[in-house]
Amino acid sequence: MSSELTEIKTFIQATNPLDLLPEPILEKLIKQVQICYVRCDETLPPQGITDPSLYVIRKGTLSVIKNNQELIEKLAEGDICSVFCSQDAVSNTLVKADEDTLIYAISFSSLLEICVEHPHVGAFFTKPAAERLSDQVSKINEQEVVSSTLMNRSIGDFFSSPAVTIEETTSLQSAAMIMTERNFSSLLIIRDKALVGIVTDKDFRCRGLAKGLTLSAPVSDIMTADVQMIDVNASAYEALIKMNSRGIHHLPVSRKGQLAGMVTITDLMRQESLSSVNVSSMIAKAKDVTELSHISDLLPKLQVSMAKLGTSASSVGKTMSAIADAFTCKLIELAKAHLGDEPVPFVWVSAGSQARQEQMVSSDQDNALIIDDSLQEQHRPWFTQLAQFVCDGLAQCGYPYCPGDVMASNQKWRQTQAVWHKYFTQWIDKPDPKALMHCSIFFDMRSVYGKESLLEDVRQKMLKKTQGNTLFLAHLSANAIKLRPPLGFFRDFVLTDNGKHKNTLDLKHNGIAPVVDLARIYALSEGIEEVNTLKRLTQAMGTSSLTQGSGKSLFSAFEFLTMSKVKHQAKQLLEGEETDCFISPNALSKLDREHLKDAFKVIKEMQSVRQTTYG
């Protein structure tokens, strides 16, 4: 091989994704290279090149301009220009040399012919960034070895339907006969067709026989009231975690808000035993905060284990959030054991990443209390003590106090439903910077313990005010696009330039958070109740706020970024370091760097659309 070809080969070998080709294939490809010289201000393709071709920049810089005015990107030494791989793709795109530039041209048809056994190489150049990213996420998902098949299956695969119900006036004897005849361990109790309770074998023993009730007594005397349902589309894993954390074995299932059936812990546990479920079971059995604190030491190992198994970032987030819910529920129960039952109804809500079910190890607390409007002044000390006990307990279990004091222990976030209505009204009607900061936290809330309708009423009124509210959405959009993806014009990353994390990428603030913000805006625009980012994107797709294609691109970008975060944090946990979201590009493979650029490019484009929409 001549010295000239050797130099070309050395350069091409360092260019992604051509560096993935085997040596014999690469040598064939090198022989097809044409060396071209483009003078400053001249446009591509170079003189004499008529076939669709791929261009590798050896020296110099190129500008890629769309619609004769919009600068899309700049390409420099080592970059590849794939604009001219297809004749159809160049009608509105101009590529111009910013200085005298030396490039290597490769006929695209020759590339495909030589790389016929490596179709992913050709596909890399013909597919847009969003599609490349989607393909990569699909590959990762295919490789996922989830610790539980329950994560990927809905309750619809397990529950019994239709629901067997009896009226609350039914006698104990009649109820027992029905359970015996049908070999059921529980029955659902209704009043005027509405679910009001559940009765189980244990209730007959502990509340019926043990207390000497007569067989003619109504079943309402022994039933458990205020039963919570779970939607048929929820994951079976979520149901299992919920039952373990609350120490129950039966969970009514709803479809579109209506009672549809029942799922039992036996239905789910016969499938498999999960380490994360075991953690939740340990939490439910803990006797004090010290014991809970010891259990929390298992969480870093659990997150590392899931990362090693290839568990998706979405599943990791749901698992860690469910465990945080379990800790919270147990702490509330421990508090009530000392304080007595609540004087009026309340709901403990999580906010931020826990509410969105996207939490990881060492995430800060974000929580609040919504209390029934029947609250009297003499009741406040009970809720003050509850909040302080739970927040302190969570801190002991590895969930740091919120630096901004967004916790139920702060009286401002421990208020009646009426006050919460006022909060949201003020934030929406007067969206100043502080209000917008609160929106980014409290517009993502989820019930963890207590009377869920207290939160749902607040959410419904809030969504009525935000849907179609162009002034508020404009302010929210302007605030959301302040966090920009770290991409420079030269298709390279813009790295942090000072402090502890110098020369790294901030995945959280410059990648993940912008998608979370966009998904929240789409949800508020369309009146979507969901708070999980991927579910928000899914439900918003096809609406006036988000096209199907753009939604899928953002979905893939979010999955890839969160997967990168999970892998990064697993490595830190294994090395005994504190977790963060700062990644050095040098620690990534060349291909992962390209996919990361694709993800940032998708986000940048969607932020531009948002900016255009609301100026």
Side-chain angles (χ1 to χ4, degrees):
M1 183 179 290
S2 68
S3 58
E4 186 177 53
L5 286 179
T6 300
E7 182 185 347
I8 294 173
K9 178 184 174 184
T10 301
F11 190 80
I12 294 292
Q13 273 183 321
T15 304
N16 182 65
L18 301 178
D19 59 332
L20 300 176
L21 294 172
E23 187 83 10
I25 301 296
L26 192 61
E27 289 185 359
K28 285 184 181 180
L29 188 64
I30 299 305
K31 294 176 182 178
Q32 301 298 317
V33 170
Q34 296 184 61
I35 302 174
C36 303
Y37 187 72
V38 183
R39 292 190 177 277
C40 181
D41 290 331
E42 288 184 351
T43 60
L44 267 62
Q47 190 173 0
I49 303 290
T50 56
D51 294 334
S53 298
L54 187 75
Y55 300 104
V56 182
I57 293 85
R58 180 65 180 86
K59 289 182 180 179
T61 59
L62 301 174
S63 287
V64 182
I65 301 168
K66 192 173 183 180
N67 298 324
N68 293 321
Q69 56 182 359
E70 183 183 357
L71 177 63
I72 300 299
E73 61 184 349
K74 284 182 176 284
L75 304 176
E77 183 176 322
D79 288 333
I80 292 179
C81 176
S82 58
V83 172
F84 301 95
C85 288
S86 167
Q87 294 285 11
D88 300 331
V90 298
S91 58
N92 65 340
T93 305
L94 177 75
V95 180
K96 184 180 70 171
D98 296 328
E99 57 184 295
D100 292 350
T101 302
L102 181 66
I103 58 178
Y104 296 149
I106 305 172
S107 166
F108 195 61
S109 60
S110 297
L111 173 70
L112 294 179
E113 184 179 340
I114 293 171
C115 301
V116 65
E117 294 182 3
H118 304 275
H120 60 283
V121 173
F124 185 88
F125 300 117
T126 55
K127 292 182 178 180
E131 193 172 344
R132 286 200 302 266
L133 187 62
S134 179
D135 288 346
Q136 177 64 9
V137 169
S138 295
K139 283 182 183 178
I140 295 172
N141 286 338
E142 287 171 6
Q143 296 165 0
E144 181 182 353
V145 184
V146 186
S147 57
S148 168
T149 57
L150 298 181
M151 288 182 179
N152 293 329
R153 299 176 67 182
S154 72
I155 290 171
D157 294 334
F158 299 93
F159 83 118
S160 300
S161 180
V164 178
T165 62
I166 57 174
E167 292 288 339
E168 63 177 343
T169 54
T170 303
S171 69
L172 296 183
Q173 183 175 26
S174 297
M177 290 174 65
I178 294 172
M179 291 173 68
T180 301
E181 289 170 2
R182 302 204 179 193
N183 196 27
F184 285 169
S185 59
S186 65
L187 288 173
L188 296 173
I189 315 301
I190 59 173
R191 179 195 306 140
D192 298 329
K193 297 184 179 180
L195 180 66
V196 294
I198 184 173
V199 62
T200 67
D201 285 336
K202 184 178 179 181
D203 294 327
F204 274 95
R205 295 193 306 272
C206 300
R207 297 176 180 176
L209 296 176
K211 293 189 176 181
L213 295 184
T214 65
L215 294 177
S216 60
V219 74
S220 58
D221 287 353
I222 66 168
M223 73 178 186
T224 299
D226 298 323
V227 180
Q228 292 187 359
M229 294 192 288
I230 191 165
D231 189 80
V232 68
N233 294 314
S235 72
Y237 178 77
E238 184 180 339
L240 189 53
I241 286 285
K242 197 168 190 176
M243 285 191 273
N244 266 292
S245 65
R246 299 184 182 184
I248 59 177
H249 297 90
H250 307 79
L251 202 55
V253 178
S254 65
R255 180 183 283 113
K256 296 182 179 179
Q258 299 298 312
L259 180 63
M262 174 84 82
V263 65
T264 70
I265 201 163
T266 305
D267 295 332
L268 303 178
M269 287 300 288
R270 69 165 58 104
Q271 295 296 314
E272 56 197 302
S273 176
L274 306 174
S275 59
S276 48
V277 171
N278 291 337
V279 171
S280 293
S281 182
M282 291 167 66
I283 292 170
K285 295 174 183 175
K287 295 180 175 59
D288 52 38
V289 178
T290 301
E291 197 172 335
L292 288 174
S293 178
H294 291 319
I295 296 170
S296 70
D297 293 338
L298 299 173
L299 300 191
K301 296 177 183 177
L302 177 60
Q303 185 166 316
V304 169
S305 174
M306 287 189 288
K308 282 185 173 181
L309 286 168
T311 307
S312 71
S314 175
S315 294
V316 174
K318 287 178 181 177
T319 298
M320 303 311 291
S321 300
I323 290 174
D325 290 354
F327 274 114
T328 304
C329 290
K330 186 62 183 182
L331 286 165
I332 292 173
E333 290 170 1
L334 290 174
K336 288 174 66 174
H338 291 288
L339 299 172
D341 288 337
E342 58 268 31
V344 296
F346 74 96
V347 62
W348 184 284
V349 298
S350 60
S353 61
Q354 183 183 348
R356 295 191 303 271
Q357 296 181 304
E358 296 159 7
Q359 192 170 44
M360 300 292 166
V361 164
S362 301
S363 294
D364 295 342
Q365 294 182 47
D366 284 314
N367 48 58
L369 271 175
I370 303 177
I371 308 170
D372 190 85
D373 288 338
S374 60
L375 178 76
Q376 301 296 315
E377 198 60 36
Q378 64 267 28
H379 299 151
R380 289 190 181 276
W382 189 95
F383 289 103
T384 300
Q385 293 177 68
L386 170 75
Q388 197 62 57
F389 180 87
V390 175
C391 291
D392 288 346
L394 287 171
Q396 290 182 58
C397 293
Y399 300 96
Y401 294 115
C402 173
D405 204 18
V406 180
M407 298 179 292
S409 53
N410 181 344
Q411 185 176 345
K412 185 173 183 179
W413 311 124
R414 188 177 67 250
Q415 295 291 341
T416 61
Q417 188 184 56
V419 172
W420 279 100
H421 283 310
K422 289 180 182 178
Y423 282 165
F424 281 100
T425 297
Q426 290 169 0
W427 296 336
I428 295 168
D429 291 346
K430 297 180 180 179
D432 56 34
K434 192 171 183 179
L436 293 171
M437 179 191 71
H438 289 144
C439 291
S440 68
I441 300 170
F442 292 113
F443 279 36
D444 301 350
M445 290 203 295
R446 180 171 56 82
S447 300
V448 175
Y449 184 102
K451 189 176 180 181
E452 296 182 7
S453 61
L454 289 170
L455 171 60
E456 293 312 308
D457 290 345
V458 171
R459 196 194 312 278
Q460 288 298 326
K461 288 187 178 180
M462 176 265 288
L463 288 173
K464 284 182 180 178
K465 289 187 69 67
T466 61
Q467 192 171 5
N469 189 330
T470 54
L471 178 62
F472 170 72
L473 293 172
H475 279 88
L476 203 61
S477 298
N479 189 63
I481 60 177
K482 289 178 181 177
L483 294 175
R484 295 284 188 174
L487 275 182
F489 276 126
F490 282 95
R491 296 188 73 252
D492 213 343
F493 301 114
V494 177
L495 306 178
T496 54
D497 57 5
N498 55 50
K500 175 183 175 183
H501 303 295
K502 186 176 182 180
N503 295 328
T504 62
L505 296 166
D506 185 349
L507 279 189
K508 178 179 178 180
H509 292 102
N510 297 118
I512 295 171
V515 183
V516 171
D517 288 341
L518 287 170
R520 183 184 302 112
I521 293 169
Y522 301 143
L524 295 174
S525 301
E526 300 297 334
I528 295 169
E529 296 182 22
E530 185 56 63
V531 295
N532 174 267
T533 299
L534 292 180
K535 289 183 179 179
R536 277 174 164 171
L537 291 174
T538 300
Q539 292 184 26
M541 287 182 204
T543 67
S544 59
S545 298
L546 184 67
T547 66
Q548 286 283 351
S550 296
K552 289 178 181 178
S553 298
L554 270 179
F555 193 104
S556 296
F558 186 77
E559 280 202 297
F560 185 80
L561 290 170
T562 50
M563 286 174 188
S564 300
K565 173 185 170 182
V566 167
K567 291 177 183 177
H568 170 67
Q569 292 192 348
K571 183 179 178 182
Q572 289 180 312
L573 290 169
L574 281 171
E575 294 174 357
E577 300 174 357
E578 289 187 13
T579 57
D580 59 39
C581 295
F582 293 93
I583 292 183
S584 169
N586 294 331
L588 302 173
S589 68
K590 289 182 180 179
L591 195 57
D592 276 347
R593 285 201 295 271
E594 288 301 318
H595 289 312
L596 198 55
K597 290 175 186 176
D598 288 342
F600 289 144
K601 187 175 180 181
V602 166
I603 297 168
K604 191 173 183 178
E605 289 174 353
M606 293 309 299
Q607 285 185 328
S608 296
V609 170
R610 203 72 208 164
Q611 190 170 23
T612 302
T613 303
Y614 284 101

